[in-house]
Amino acid sequence: MQPTGQVRRWRWAVLIAWLAAPCAHAALQLELQPQGLSATQIVAAERTLQQVRTRLPSGWQARFQQLVLVRWSDTLPAHVHGRTRNGTITLQRALLDSVQEDQPLPRPPEAALIHELTHVLDRSPQGGWSRDPRLRDLAGWQRRPWKLGRTANAFSGRSPDDYERASPAEFLAVNAEHLLLDPDYACRRPAVAAWFADHLGPTAHAVDCDTRLPLMQAEEEAGAATLLELDPARVYGVDYLLAEGNDQLMSRWGHSMLRLVICAPGRPRGPACRMDLSHHRVLSYRAFVGDVQISSWRGLTGAYPSRLFVLPLNQVINEYTQLELRGLSSVPLAMDEQEIASLLERVAQVHWSYDGRYLFVSNNCAVETGKLLQEGVPRLASPGLNRITPRGLLTRLERLGVADASVLADRGQATRQGYYFASAEAHYQQLFDVARRQLPLGTADVGDWLRQPASQRARWVEQGDLRATAALLLLEQAALRREELRARDVLKRLLGDPDTGDAAARDTLRALLEDTGQLVSPAALVKGGGYGLPSAGERAMATEAAAQLSVQGAPAWKALQRQLKQRLPVRQQRELATIDSTLARLGARMRELAREDGVTAAAVR
């Protein structure tokens, strides 16, 4: 068959472009196999080959050592765009139908050829990149504890193509497509783009990315969240934050977290930033309970999602020291500015993409925190941080010279410098000692006092002086928080029981949990199919969606709490009501005693 005029023109154009290409491109040789193609399809196929030659960076092209044959066939399954066998690429012939003369080349045929060329290169003696441990870390095949291989890929959120999780080789090929065809790829997946640049050379794309990292942070008010745009340049350091254990099954080993020491706006990066506590944030892996049935067994079997929460430090301090009476140790980790930026970038990728399962034994807070540190700071990947207990992880970090636990040696100094946050139990005991020095309260232990029925504690309201009354007021506030925690557990069981008749409350709670799930897994807040870190437009969309959910959620949580109080057992309702009454009486007595003290002082003057 003699070539038509159109085919001859395209062949001359291809030849001229080939001769004009830099010598470094000469290693890549693509040869079209025209069998079965019409004249129009031959033109489209040659145009595709030439376009891809211009896409592939010279460093990539120089690695090809063998001629690559490219054929187009209609024998592939409809959903398969290409296959590579023994250095020969077969592409779906139907892809050529979308190529139109004098129109930009459509993405599918170009992407398919880039994808398969990446497989050719990866399978060659010069390749093997899909076996690189660092790529597998970045891609989401995470290391298991006890060096038992790697997990399945749970980075399913905001993926450009679910097929990338089929295998590391497919991840490499899929991401090569987007790296070469998407100008903003380096902004969406900066760590993977940097990996490609290190191993295969830089691409032609040069874009300015917003270095701030978007993190959906919880607010103090239940059901509220906002988007934090975190500038890594404001993060002075990262601490390993360890909550002490207690008697609860899921808490007896402690809890692993990371503390971001963020400088207040306008403050130069330095040690003084450690005192900007209101700006510090905590990264905490927790099992997100998206239903009303709370079950320890489900936590053991991986039925709950594992989510990376971003929380205000002050909220975490209050939660552990005031409510759960657990101390917090904050141990600095030795990281330079580049490592901190790398870790924060990984934090953002996990926050927007990770959908893991919480397992009390093998994928708990310590395991998740260790994986985050390994993947975010490459030098920590080789020795490994896979420990299954929070204290075990801290010990491993100390042995590697990463964690400096010497800051905790002097407990008083550690408390003053913000390295240790003591349980409020000792403070409560001091308050109780103040009160019992004046009043015969019947026990020397504050724990025994708080465990007494509220009606017994209420007998002492009118009997103390100003100092003793102030101490009893603070202790009664602590008693209220403890009783509210117990009430919350009771309500969980009531709502989890389908026979209690609280269907409306259950439906309300499920809806609120669904909204909260979007706030702690923010990919659901952005519509439109983007991938990786959200763009400026997607961040604005997430900010608006979070604001709407917060406006609705915060008052809805309060209303539900009021409604559920009516469903508590009578004894517990009476206990809460007595505490409320006692607090009101203690407050009134303090005001009365303060006025009397004021009158006495005036008379003395």
Side-chain angles (χ1 to χ4, degrees):
M1 177 180 71
Q2 293 295 320
T4 65
Q6 183 187 31
V7 173
R8 284 195 295 270
R9 286 196 301 273
W10 268 106
R11 286 184 175 176
W12 275 109
V14 169
L15 178 60
I16 293 171
W18 178 260
L19 293 174
C23 293
H25 290 195
L28 174 61
Q29 300 178 62
L30 299 177
E31 181 176 300
L32 176 65
Q33 304 293 288
Q35 294 85 352
L37 300 181
S38 67
T40 301
Q41 289 173 331
I42 291 174
V43 170
E46 290 184 332
R47 183 182 171 195
T48 301
L49 267 59
Q50 176 55 24
Q51 178 82 343
V52 169
R53 286 192 187 99
T54 66
R55 295 280 193 191
L56 259 63
S58 58
W60 293 35
Q61 297 199 35
R63 296 175 183 272
F64 286 90
Q65 302 297 313
Q66 303 291 333
L67 173 70
V68 179
L69 304 179
V70 181
R71 56 190 292 267
W72 301 76
S73 171
D74 57 7
T75 61
L76 295 175
H79 67 282
V80 176
H81 283 188
R83 280 182 178 160
T84 297
R85 296 285 188 276
N86 300 320
T88 297
I89 294 174
T90 302
L91 299 175
Q92 183 68 255
R93 185 187 301 174
L95 295 176
L96 296 174
D97 295 339
S98 61
V99 180
Q100 301 295 322
E101 188 177 3
D102 300 327
Q103 295 293 323
L105 191 68
R107 182 183 179 113
E110 196 174 0
L113 183 53
I114 291 172
H115 185 109
E116 298 307 323
L117 283 171
T118 305
H119 281 320
V120 171
L121 200 53
D122 184 41
R123 296 170 188 172
S124 71
Q126 296 76 36
W129 295 289
S130 60
R131 297 189 295 274
D132 178 56
R134 176 62 179 160
L135 179 69
R136 295 190 175 196
D137 284 345
L138 294 174
W141 281 276
Q142 298 179 305
R143 301 168 195 244
R144 296 181 188 274
W146 306 300
K147 299 182 179 180
L148 295 176
R150 291 180 180 264
T151 66
N153 194 322
F155 282 71
S156 57
R158 289 186 62 79
S159 171
D161 185 345
D162 289 340
Y163 190 51
E164 69 174 345
R165 291 183 290 117
S167 69
E170 295 303 338
F171 180 91
L172 181 75
V174 168
N175 280 266
E177 298 173 32
H178 291 273
L179 174 73
L180 300 179
L181 297 177
D182 299 347
D184 60 347
Y185 179 87
C187 301
R188 293 183 174 276
R189 285 190 166 172
V192 183
W195 182 92
F196 272 108
D198 289 342
H199 289 78
L200 291 170
T203 64
H205 298 316
V207 294
D208 291 327
C209 301
D210 188 343
T211 58
R212 297 174 304 165
L213 298 168
L215 301 172
M216 194 62 65
Q217 62 179 353
E219 294 294 332
E220 297 286 349
E221 195 171 25
T226 57
L227 187 71
L228 169 67
E229 300 264 28
L230 180 59
D231 182 356
R234 285 182 54 205
V235 181
Y236 168 68
V238 178
D239 289 6
Y240 181 75
L241 191 62
L242 173 66
E244 297 170 353
N246 61 17
D247 294 334
Q248 299 297 316
L249 172 63
M250 294 297 184
S251 305
R252 66 181 51 181
W253 309 114
H255 185 63
S256 295
M257 296 168 280
L258 295 178
R259 170 187 177 185
L260 304 182
V261 181
I262 303 174
C263 303
R267 186 189 295 280
R269 192 173 185 172
C273 297
R274 299 200 70 88
M275 295 297 103
D276 296 329
L277 299 187
S278 63
H279 296 275
H280 296 187
R281 294 295 179 267
V282 172
L283 308 175
S284 177
Y285 280 99
R286 302 182 177 193
F288 176 71
V289 181
D291 59 21
V292 298
Q293 186 74 38
I294 311 300
S295 164
S296 298
W297 173 251
R298 298 180 74 179
L300 289 168
T301 58
Y304 294 131
S306 180
R307 293 284 182 262
L308 181 58
F309 286 72
V310 182
L311 306 164
L313 174 63
N314 289 336
Q315 179 179 325
V316 173
I317 292 173
N318 180 67
E319 175 185 350
Y320 283 101
T321 65
Q322 300 291 327
L323 298 182
E324 299 188 18
L325 301 183
R326 300 162 66 182
L328 286 169
S329 299
S330 190
V331 182
L333 300 180
M335 295 184 194
D336 59 31
E337 293 183 16
Q338 184 176 354
E339 289 176 331
I340 290 174
S342 175
L343 174 64
L344 295 177
E345 182 182 299
R346 185 59 178 176
V347 166
Q349 292 287 349
V350 169
H351 188 59
W352 287 90
S353 300
Y354 181 62
D355 186 25
R357 298 287 104 181
Y358 183 89
L359 284 160
F360 179 62
V361 175
S362 61
N363 201 49
N364 54 35
C365 61
V367 175
E368 292 278 37
T369 303
K371 290 188 297 187
L372 182 61
L373 288 170
Q374 287 181 141
E375 294 156 7
V377 184
R379 71 179 168 92
L380 300 181
S382 178
L385 295 176
N386 293 345
R387 297 296 183 271
I388 65 169
T389 66
R391 290 196 178 277
L393 178 55
L394 177 58
T395 299
R396 179 62 171 162
L397 289 167
E398 288 183 81
R399 289 176 179 171
L400 293 174
V402 178
D404 179 16
S406 66
V407 298
L408 303 173
D410 184 329
R411 185 56 57 85
Q413 184 175 355
T415 300
R416 290 190 296 273
Q417 295 179 344
Y419 293 115
Y420 185 73
F421 304 93
S423 161
E425 188 168 18
H427 177 58
Y428 292 158
Q429 184 65 51
Q430 291 172 355
L431 291 172
F432 186 63
D433 290 341
V434 168
R436 76 184 185 90
R437 276 196 290 268
Q438 186 190 13
L439 302 172
L441 299 179
T443 179
D445 182 72
V446 69
D448 293 339
W449 170 261
L450 292 174
R451 282 189 288 271
Q452 289 181 6
S455 58
Q456 291 188 28
R457 296 194 304 267
R459 292 184 297 132
W460 301 97
V461 169
E462 312 294 341
Q463 302 186 36
D465 64 9
L466 183 59
R467 290 190 70 219
T469 302
L472 291 177
L473 175 65
L474 293 173
L475 290 173
E476 201 63 19
Q477 290 173 345
L480 176 63
R481 290 192 291 266
R482 290 162 64 92
E483 191 61 36
E484 286 177 339
L485 282 178
R486 284 191 286 269
R488 189 184 306 172
D489 289 336
V490 171
L491 289 172
K492 288 175 184 176
R493 289 192 292 272
L494 288 174
L495 290 173
D497 184 354
D499 298 326
T500 60
D502 289 312
R506 276 196 297 273
D507 291 343
T508 301
L509 181 56
R510 286 194 182 98
L512 289 173
L513 287 170
E514 184 177 343
D515 290 345
T516 303
Q518 294 183 67
L519 294 175
V520 299
S521 183
L525 299 176
V526 179
K527 311 301 181 184
Y531 66 92
L533 298 182
S535 64
E538 291 168 334
R539 296 181 191 199
M541 189 185 306
T543 298
E544 181 179 355
Q548 291 178 354
L549 289 175
S550 298
V551 167
Q552 300 166 7
W557 277 108
K558 289 181 180 178
L560 181 62
Q561 289 168 357
R562 289 192 297 270
Q563 175 187 348
L564 291 179
K565 267 192 174 182
Q566 309 302 316
R567 307 300 303 173
L568 286 170
V570 173
R571 185 203 62 78
Q572 205 152 19
Q573 289 188 48
R574 187 183 303 118
E575 189 77 2
L576 286 168
T578 303
I579 293 175
D580 287 339
S581 174
T582 300
L583 286 171
R585 291 169 59 200
L586 286 167
R589 177 162 177 79
M590 278 193 63
R591 290 189 293 272
E592 178 184 349
L593 292 173
R595 283 195 300 270
E596 291 177 359
D597 282 358
V599 170
T600 302
V604 170
R605 287 196 299 270

